[in-house]
Amino acid sequence: MADIARPDYAELRQRDRLEFRLILWGVFALLLVVALFGRLLPQSLRPLRCTGKSVFGEAWEAANTIVPFAFMR
């Protein structure tokens, strides 16, 4: 009787974590540019929420809001 190949769930989780981190950092870099340019605009026209955080804080918060949706099943 042939053995059925079972997926290695630990390896799949590891790949998912790596993909999540890579996408998170890529989106963070993109949103950092958006936040930097947004600081040049008047506050009413800024593309990201202004919560009194630094530019890095705004970009990180936006990235952590957006990226998890890519991994919903």
Side-chain angles (χ1 to χ4, degrees), residues 4-5 13 15 23 25-26 32-33 45 48 55-56 67 70 72:
I4 297 175
R13 281 194 306 269
R15 274 195 231 149
I23 293 172
W25 283 104
L32 182 61
V33 172
L45 297 176
L48 299 177
V55 176
F56 294 103
V67 172
M72 288 186 164

Side-chain angles (χ1 to χ4, degrees), residues 40-68:
L40 299 174
L41 297 172
Q43 192 169 4
S44 62
L45 297 176
R46 290 186 183 171
L48 299 177
R49 285 189 299 163
C50 185
T51 58
K53 293 184 178 184
S54 68
V55 176
F56 294 103
E58 286 180 14
W60 189 251
E61 181 182 4
N64 276 312
T65 301
I66 294 169
V67 172

Side-chain angles (χ1 to χ4, degrees), residues 8 12 14-15 17 26 28 38 47-48 51 70:
D8 183 11
L12 291 175
Q14 178 105 9
R15 274 195 231 149
R17 274 190 230 117
F28 170 71
L48 299 177
T51 58

